[in-house]
PDB file of all heavy atoms in Angstrom:
ATOM      1  N   PRO A  21     151.573 201.161 125.610  1.00  0.00           N
ATOM      2  CA  PRO A  21     152.354 202.382 125.773  1.00  0.00           C
ATOM      3  C   PRO A  21     153.840 202.127 125.514  1.00  0.00           C
ATOM      4  O   PRO A  21     154.363 201.070 125.833  1.00  0.00           O
ATOM      5  CB  PRO A  21     152.128 202.785 127.234  1.00  0.00           C
ATOM      6  CG  PRO A  21     151.077 201.904 127.756  1.00  0.00           C
ATOM      7  CD  PRO A  21     150.872 200.772 126.820  1.00  0.00           C
ATOM      8  N   ARG A  64     159.391 197.194 124.573  1.00  0.00           N
ATOM      9  CA  ARG A  64     158.722 198.497 124.374  1.00  0.00           C
ATOM     10  C   ARG A  64     159.719 199.629 124.179  1.00  0.00           C
ATOM     11  O   ARG A  64     159.353 200.793 124.206  1.00  0.00           O
ATOM     12  CB  ARG A  64     157.871 198.818 125.588  1.00  0.00           C
ATOM     13  CG  ARG A  64     156.911 197.723 125.934  1.00  0.00           C
ATOM     14  CD  ARG A  64     155.513 198.198 125.872  1.00  0.00           C
ATOM     15  NE  ARG A  64     154.654 197.175 126.439  1.00  0.00           N
ATOM     16  CZ  ARG A  64     153.808 197.407 127.427  1.00  0.00           C
ATOM     17  NH1 ARG A  64     153.731 198.596 127.955  1.00  0.00           N
ATOM     18  NH2 ARG A  64     153.043 196.445 127.865  1.00  0.00           N
ATOM     19  N   TYR A 161     161.359 206.267 140.094  1.00  0.00           N
ATOM     20  CA  TYR A 161     160.053 205.724 140.482  1.00  0.00           C
ATOM     21  C   TYR A 161     160.316 204.303 140.963  1.00  0.00           C
ATOM     22  O   TYR A 161     160.971 203.519 140.287  1.00  0.00           O
ATOM     23  CB  TYR A 161     159.131 205.718 139.258  1.00  0.00           C
ATOM     24  CG  TYR A 161     157.704 205.339 139.544  1.00  0.00           C
ATOM     25  CD1 TYR A 161     156.792 206.288 139.981  1.00  0.00           C
ATOM     26  CD2 TYR A 161     157.267 204.030 139.352  1.00  0.00           C
ATOM     27  CE1 TYR A 161     155.471 205.937 140.239  1.00  0.00           C
ATOM     28  CE2 TYR A 161     155.940 203.678 139.610  1.00  0.00           C
ATOM     29  CZ  TYR A 161     155.052 204.637 140.055  1.00  0.00           C
ATOM     30  OH  TYR A 161     153.747 204.298 140.310  1.00  0.00           O
ATOM     31  N   MET A 187     154.892 202.029 144.245  1.00  0.00           N
ATOM     32  CA  MET A 187     153.938 200.971 143.875  1.00  0.00           C
ATOM     33  C   MET A 187     154.406 199.660 144.477  1.00  0.00           C
ATOM     34  O   MET A 187     155.618 199.443 144.631  1.00  0.00           O
ATOM     35  CB  MET A 187     153.889 200.844 142.344  1.00  0.00           C
ATOM     36  CG  MET A 187     152.964 199.767 141.824  1.00  0.00           C
ATOM     37  SD  MET A 187     153.010 199.650 140.006  1.00  0.00           S
ATOM     38  CE  MET A 187     152.244 201.176 139.520  1.00  0.00           C
ATOM     39  N   TRP A 211     149.193 201.414 144.558  1.00  0.00           N
ATOM     40  CA  TRP A 211     150.123 202.491 144.225  1.00  0.00           C
ATOM     41  C   TRP A 211     149.584 203.848 144.644  1.00  0.00           C
ATOM     42  O   TRP A 211     148.426 203.987 145.013  1.00  0.00           O
ATOM     43  CB  TRP A 211     150.506 202.450 142.747  1.00  0.00           C
ATOM     44  CG  TRP A 211     149.455 202.819 141.750  1.00  0.00           C
ATOM     45  CD1 TRP A 211     149.272 204.045 141.173  1.00  0.00           C
ATOM     46  CD2 TRP A 211     148.459 201.953 141.164  1.00  0.00           C
ATOM     47  NE1 TRP A 211     148.232 203.985 140.277  1.00  0.00           N
ATOM     48  CE2 TRP A 211     147.722 202.721 140.247  1.00  0.00           C
ATOM     49  CE3 TRP A 211     148.118 200.606 141.322  1.00  0.00           C
ATOM     50  CZ2 TRP A 211     146.668 202.190 139.488  1.00  0.00           C
ATOM     51  CZ3 TRP A 211     147.071 200.079 140.576  1.00  0.00           C
ATOM     52  CH2 TRP A 211     146.365 200.854 139.680  1.00  0.00           C
ATOM     53  N   ALA A 235     151.103 193.808 131.913  1.00  0.00           N
ATOM     54  CA  ALA A 235     150.043 194.540 132.621  1.00  0.00           C
ATOM     55  C   ALA A 235     150.646 195.491 133.664  1.00  0.00           C
ATOM     56  O   ALA A 235     150.206 196.641 133.813  1.00  0.00           O
ATOM     57  CB  ALA A 235     149.087 193.555 133.282  1.00  0.00           C
ATOM     58  N   ILE A 236     151.665 195.016 134.387  1.00  0.00           N
ATOM     59  CA  ILE A 236     152.312 195.850 135.416  1.00  0.00           C
ATOM     60  C   ILE A 236     152.995 197.047 134.749  1.00  0.00           C
ATOM     61  O   ILE A 236     152.892 198.188 135.210  1.00  0.00           O
ATOM     62  CB  ILE A 236     153.337 195.026 136.227  1.00  0.00           C
ATOM     63  CG1 ILE A 236     152.623 193.949 137.051  1.00  0.00           C
ATOM     64  CG2 ILE A 236     154.197 195.923 137.124  1.00  0.00           C
ATOM     65  CD1 ILE A 236     153.563 192.907 137.658  1.00  0.00           C
ATOM     66  N   LEU A 237     153.660 196.763 133.630  1.00  0.00           N
ATOM     67  CA  LEU A 237     154.364 197.825 132.904  1.00  0.00           C
ATOM     68  C   LEU A 237     153.388 198.899 132.408  1.00  0.00           C
ATOM     69  O   LEU A 237     153.674 200.097 132.504  1.00  0.00           O
ATOM     70  CB  LEU A 237     155.111 197.195 131.729  1.00  0.00           C
ATOM     71  CG  LEU A 237     156.297 197.960 131.196  1.00  0.00           C
ATOM     72  CD1 LEU A 237     157.331 198.203 132.285  1.00  0.00           C
ATOM     73  CD2 LEU A 237     156.933 197.171 130.041  1.00  0.00           C
ATOM     74  N   ASP A 238     152.225 198.467 131.908  1.00  0.00           N
ATOM     75  CA  ASP A 238     151.204 199.429 131.462  1.00  0.00           C
ATOM     76  C   ASP A 238     150.850 200.386 132.593  1.00  0.00           C
ATOM     77  O   ASP A 238     150.733 201.591 132.389  1.00  0.00           O
ATOM     78  CB  ASP A 238     149.909 198.696 131.064  1.00  0.00           C
ATOM     79  CG  ASP A 238     150.011 198.064 129.695  1.00  0.00           C
ATOM     80  OD1 ASP A 238     150.937 198.409 128.944  1.00  0.00           O
ATOM     81  OD2 ASP A 238     149.146 197.207 129.386  1.00  0.00           O
ATOM     82  N   ILE A 239     150.668 199.833 133.787  1.00  0.00           N
ATOM     83  CA  ILE A 239     150.249 200.669 134.921  1.00  0.00           C
ATOM     84  C   ILE A 239     151.390 201.611 135.323  1.00  0.00           C
ATOM     85  O   ILE A 239     151.178 202.792 135.588  1.00  0.00           O
ATOM     86  CB  ILE A 239     149.761 199.795 136.094  1.00  0.00           C
ATOM     87  CG1 ILE A 239     148.544 198.981 135.639  1.00  0.00           C
ATOM     88  CG2 ILE A 239     149.403 200.649 137.305  1.00  0.00           C
ATOM     89  CD1 ILE A 239     148.035 197.966 136.643  1.00  0.00           C
ATOM     90  N   ILE A 240     152.625 201.091 135.337  1.00  0.00           N
ATOM     91  CA  ILE A 240     153.777 201.952 135.674  1.00  0.00           C
ATOM     92  C   ILE A 240     153.880 203.099 134.666  1.00  0.00           C
ATOM     93  O   ILE A 240     154.034 204.275 135.055  1.00  0.00           O
ATOM     94  CB  ILE A 240     155.095 201.144 135.676  1.00  0.00           C
ATOM     95  CG1 ILE A 240     155.087 200.084 136.785  1.00  0.00           C
ATOM     96  CG2 ILE A 240     156.308 202.076 135.817  1.00  0.00           C
ATOM     97  CD1 ILE A 240     156.288 199.137 136.751  1.00  0.00           C
ATOM     98  N   LEU A 241     153.773 202.780 133.386  1.00  0.00           N
ATOM     99  CA  LEU A 241     153.915 203.816 132.351  1.00  0.00           C
ATOM    100  C   LEU A 241     152.783 204.837 132.456  1.00  0.00           C
ATOM    101  O   LEU A 241     153.008 206.039 132.275  1.00  0.00           O
ATOM    102  CB  LEU A 241     153.959 203.182 130.952  1.00  0.00           C
ATOM    103  CG  LEU A 241     155.193 202.301 130.690  1.00  0.00           C
ATOM    104  CD1 LEU A 241     155.097 201.612 129.337  1.00  0.00           C
ATOM    105  CD2 LEU A 241     156.490 203.092 130.785  1.00  0.00           C
ATOM    106  N   GLY A 242     151.586 204.364 132.797  1.00  0.00           N
ATOM    107  CA  GLY A 242     150.455 205.267 133.002  1.00  0.00           C
ATOM    108  C   GLY A 242     150.731 206.241 134.146  1.00  0.00           C
ATOM    109  O   GLY A 242     150.456 207.433 134.045  1.00  0.00           O
ATOM    110  N   CYS A 243     151.307 205.736 135.238  1.00  0.00           N
ATOM    111  CA  CYS A 243     151.625 206.584 136.403  1.00  0.00           C
ATOM    112  C   CYS A 243     152.694 207.613 136.038  1.00  0.00           C
ATOM    113  O   CYS A 243     152.599 208.775 136.431  1.00  0.00           O
ATOM    114  CB  CYS A 243     152.148 205.746 137.563  1.00  0.00           C
ATOM    115  SG  CYS A 243     150.905 204.722 138.298  1.00  0.00           S
ATOM    116  N   LEU A 244     153.708 207.175 135.298  1.00  0.00           N
ATOM    117  CA  LEU A 244     154.783 208.098 134.923  1.00  0.00           C
ATOM    118  C   LEU A 244     154.237 209.202 134.020  1.00  0.00           C
ATOM    119  O   LEU A 244     154.614 210.369 134.164  1.00  0.00           O
ATOM    120  CB  LEU A 244     155.910 207.353 134.204  1.00  0.00           C
ATOM    121  CG  LEU A 244     156.736 206.399 135.062  1.00  0.00           C
ATOM    122  CD1 LEU A 244     157.765 205.673 134.197  1.00  0.00           C
ATOM    123  CD2 LEU A 244     157.438 207.132 136.190  1.00  0.00           C
ATOM    124  N   ALA A 245     153.336 208.831 133.116  1.00  0.00           N
ATOM    125  CA  ALA A 245     152.757 209.823 132.200  1.00  0.00           C
ATOM    126  C   ALA A 245     151.953 210.852 132.999  1.00  0.00           C
ATOM    127  O   ALA A 245     152.042 212.056 132.754  1.00  0.00           O
ATOM    128  CB  ALA A 245     151.870 209.130 131.174  1.00  0.00           C
ATOM    129  N   LYS A 246     151.184 210.383 133.999  1.00  0.00           N
ATOM    130  CA  LYS A 246     150.386 211.285 134.848  1.00  0.00           C
ATOM    131  C   LYS A 246     151.277 212.237 135.625  1.00  0.00           C
ATOM    132  O   LYS A 246     150.987 213.413 135.767  1.00  0.00           O
ATOM    133  CB  LYS A 246     149.543 210.472 135.825  1.00  0.00           C
ATOM    134  CG  LYS A 246     148.161 210.220 135.318  1.00  0.00           C
ATOM    135  CD  LYS A 246     147.235 209.865 136.470  1.00  0.00           C
ATOM    136  CE  LYS A 246     145.978 209.245 135.908  1.00  0.00           C
ATOM    137  NZ  LYS A 246     145.590 208.019 136.585  1.00  0.00           N
ATOM    138  N   ARG A 247     152.388 211.682 136.169  1.00  0.00           N
ATOM    139  CA  ARG A 247     153.323 212.511 136.941  1.00  0.00           C
ATOM    140  C   ARG A 247     153.877 213.613 136.076  1.00  0.00           C
ATOM    141  O   ARG A 247     154.093 214.736 136.517  1.00  0.00           O
ATOM    142  CB  ARG A 247     154.516 211.660 137.382  1.00  0.00           C
ATOM    143  CG  ARG A 247     154.251 210.869 138.595  1.00  0.00           C
ATOM    144  CD  ARG A 247     155.576 210.368 139.091  1.00  0.00           C
ATOM    145  NE  ARG A 247     155.467 210.026 140.494  1.00  0.00           N
ATOM    146  CZ  ARG A 247     156.512 209.725 141.244  1.00  0.00           C
ATOM    147  NH1 ARG A 247     157.729 209.735 140.726  1.00  0.00           N
ATOM    148  NH2 ARG A 247     156.358 209.425 142.497  1.00  0.00           N
ATOM    149  N   HIS A 248     154.155 213.257 134.821  1.00  0.00           N
ATOM    150  CA  HIS A 248     154.727 214.185 133.863  1.00  0.00           C
ATOM    151  C   HIS A 248     153.761 215.313 133.575  1.00  0.00           C
ATOM    152  O   HIS A 248     154.141 216.456 133.407  1.00  0.00           O
ATOM    153  CB  HIS A 248     155.047 213.407 132.579  1.00  0.00           C
ATOM    154  CG  HIS A 248     156.217 213.990 131.861  1.00  0.00           C
ATOM    155  ND1 HIS A 248     156.083 214.733 130.734  1.00  0.00           N
ATOM    156  CD2 HIS A 248     157.547 213.947 132.143  1.00  0.00           C
ATOM    157  CE1 HIS A 248     157.283 215.131 130.338  1.00  0.00           C
ATOM    158  NE2 HIS A 248     158.176 214.672 131.180  1.00  0.00           N
ATOM    159  N   ASP A 249     152.438 214.946 133.547  1.00  0.00           N
ATOM    160  CA  ASP A 249     151.394 215.927 133.221  1.00  0.00           C
ATOM    161  C   ASP A 249     151.150 216.911 134.362  1.00  0.00           C
ATOM    162  O   ASP A 249     150.677 218.017 134.128  1.00  0.00           O
ATOM    163  CB  ASP A 249     150.056 215.206 132.934  1.00  0.00           C
ATOM    164  CG  ASP A 249     150.162 214.417 131.635  1.00  0.00           C
ATOM    165  OD1 ASP A 249     151.123 214.659 130.886  1.00  0.00           O
ATOM    166  OD2 ASP A 249     149.290 213.565 131.400  1.00  0.00           O
TER     167      ASP A 249
END
Side-chain angles (χ1 to χ4, degrees):
R64 306 240 190 125
Y161 187 85
M187 179 182 291
W211 70 96
I236 294 168
L237 204 58
D238 282 345
I239 298 174
I240 295 173
L241 294 175
C243 290
L244 291 177
K246 265 200 196 132
R247 278 194 159 189
H248 210 255
D249 291 346

